[in-house]
Amino acid sequence: MQTSSTSSGADVPARQTPSSSQIRRWRQYLADERAEAAVYRDIASRRTGEEREILLALAEAEGRHEQHWLDLLGDDVGKPRRGDFRTRVLGVLARRFGSVFVLALAQRAEARSGYDGEADATPTMAADEAIHEEVVRGLATRGRNRISGTFRAAVFGANDGLVSNLALVLGIGASGASASIVLLTGLAGLLAGALSMAAGEYVSVRSQRELLEASRPGQAARAALPYLDVDANELALVYRARGMEPAEAQARADERLRTLGDPGSVAPTSADEVDEHEAVGTAVGASAASFCFFASGAAIPVLPYLLGAEGLTAVVWASVLVGLALLTTGATVGVLSGASPVKRALRQLAIGYGAAAATYLLGLAFGATV
């Protein structure tokens, strides 16, 4: 069969009369490529520097794929079509937020590329999509590192608030206590738990950062580098102490000493310092996130009692509201981690309901013996 070259840089089948199903499929691919390119441009508009350049390069690559389908369609391009539903949603989010959530969704979108089994797409295009997934994964990882410390505290706080207070409310309610006692217990659990979580997160993160800081190279050692004996080169001992093999440590030390500038340029100023432990988060940020999200989560199972519900009605409403919240937090974690939101949501729901059900049964048993 004759072939012709397209601007995508690969040979494609020569122009033949395509079937109606081919035309529909090509038009959809064309619409999807245009939509994906627009998403990357929208995200890039909210970025600067290297990240912006990378995103624009991805948009340019999607443009090359777009041209491939234009070449195949020829006069059959027809009216512009809309991208698929997921890509359209991604575009809306990109225009309004441009956050790590959008990058995580874009990563999943790239992973769903159908070009591997598409006879009318070139192997180069399929390879491009696989690489695009890794590029977006790298960009999303930067964002995940920036929020991971606070996000961990927020998710843990919300989940703990939801499950612990639901278990507390159901356990006390099942024991036969009045609605007012259940409400008071729930509010007390909310406040005590939120304060405890906040204090625990502050101490935990603060301690972790202090331990990591203790492993950070000292300023005195940096300032001493220009005056080291090049022949003795004790800097190699530093690298060996950090786990390098002797030959590798010696090579690293030689290279470091060769690239030294004047003594005044060795020790960076405070303005030049980079937070090497960004992924850990700050103690204050983790503490505040934990307090707020625990309180928010713990308030949900109390809402039915605040609104005057009692007995089984309050139990059902509390369980349903907490279930919806657990599904939301689980799906959010799934999106950010690049995993299936549905699986993470169901896992969160099963764990939360399992803990609450166990406490409810204990409450029933306790109430029966009182």
Side-chain angles (χ1 to χ4, degrees):
M1 182 174 60
Q2 293 182 343
T3 59
S4 62
S5 178
T6 71
S7 60
S8 63
D11 289 339
V12 299
R15 179 65 177 166
Q16 297 177 352
T17 303
S19 66
S20 58
S21 62
Q22 279 183 307
I23 291 176
R24 286 195 301 270
R25 193 169 68 250
W26 294 350
R27 285 175 176 173
Q28 189 59 57
Y29 281 135
L30 175 62
D32 291 343
E33 292 292 358
R34 286 173 170 171
E36 289 176 11
V39 167
Y40 288 132
R41 285 192 291 268
D42 287 333
I43 302 176
S45 68
R46 296 175 176 271
R47 295 290 197 275
T48 58
E50 186 180 27
E51 287 191 20
R52 176 183 172 83
E53 294 177 5
I54 292 172
L55 288 163
L56 291 176
L58 287 174
E60 183 180 347
E62 301 296 354
R64 292 194 297 270
H65 297 176
E66 173 189 341
Q67 188 60 50
H68 171 84
W69 301 116
L70 285 171
D71 291 341
L72 284 181
L73 284 164
D75 297 332
D76 296 317
V77 172
K79 294 181 179 179
R81 299 183 61 174
R82 304 172 71 185
D84 63 21
F85 176 75
R86 289 175 175 175
T87 306
R88 295 203 304 273
V89 171
L90 190 57
V92 171
L93 294 174
R95 287 190 291 275
R96 284 165 174 74
F97 302 105
S99 66
V100 63
F101 287 93
V102 180
L103 286 171
L105 288 170
Q107 176 187 329
R108 285 185 57 79
E110 291 289 359
R112 291 192 299 267
S113 172
Y115 287 164
D116 283 335
E118 175 55 63
D120 297 316
T122 67
T124 299
M125 294 169 65
D128 284 350
E129 295 297 332
I131 295 301
H132 290 179
E133 180 187 357
E134 293 306 314
V135 173
V136 177
R137 189 196 308 276
L139 292 175
T141 298
R142 294 186 182 188
R144 291 183 182 115
N145 287 339
R146 286 193 288 265
I147 70 169
S148 59
T150 302
F151 181 73
R152 176 193 56 80
V155 171
F156 182 54
N159 190 68
D160 197 18
L162 287 165
V163 175
S164 65
N165 227 30
L166 176 63
L168 180 63
V169 166
L170 295 187
I172 295 297
S175 69
S178 64
S180 60
I181 295 297
V182 175
L183 176 59
L184 181 61
T185 302
L187 292 175
L190 183 158
L191 183 59
L195 290 173
S196 175
M197 286 288 293
E201 280 294 337
Y202 182 87
V203 172
S204 174
V205 175
R206 183 73 178 179
S207 300
Q208 186 177 7
R209 291 187 70 91
E210 288 172 351
L211 286 172
L212 292 172
E213 286 292 335
S215 301
R216 192 175 184 177
Q219 292 291 338
R222 296 183 184 182
L225 289 181
Y227 307 103
L228 285 177
D229 185 340
V230 177
D231 294 327
N233 198 355
E234 294 186 10
L235 183 58
L237 297 179
V238 174
Y239 293 126
R240 289 174 65 182
R242 294 179 184 175
M244 288 187 180
E245 294 296 327
E248 182 184 5
Q250 187 65 51
R252 178 73 177 272
D254 290 341
E255 178 65 23
R256 182 72 178 90
L257 291 176
R258 278 197 302 270
T259 57
L260 284 177
D262 58 12
S265 67
V266 175
T269 63
S270 58
D272 296 327
E273 290 287 351
V274 177
D275 186 0
E276 299 174 356
H277 315 308
E278 184 180 47
V280 177
T282 64
V284 173
S287 177
S290 185
F291 179 90
C292 293
F293 280 88
F294 183 97
S296 299
I300 292 177
V302 179
L303 279 177
Y305 296 93
L306 281 173
L307 297 176
E310 298 181 1
L312 184 60
T313 301
V315 168
V316 171
W317 272 109
S319 300
V320 170
L321 292 174
V322 168
L324 293 174
L326 287 171
L327 288 173
T328 301
T329 57
T332 301
V333 172
V335 168
L336 272 179
S337 63
S340 169
V342 175
K343 290 182 179 179
R344 294 296 184 273
L346 293 177
R347 183 182 68 179
Q348 201 94 328
L349 182 66
I351 293 173
Y353 271 1
T359 309
Y360 183 69
L361 293 175
L362 288 174
L364 287 174
F366 178 76
T369 60
V370 173

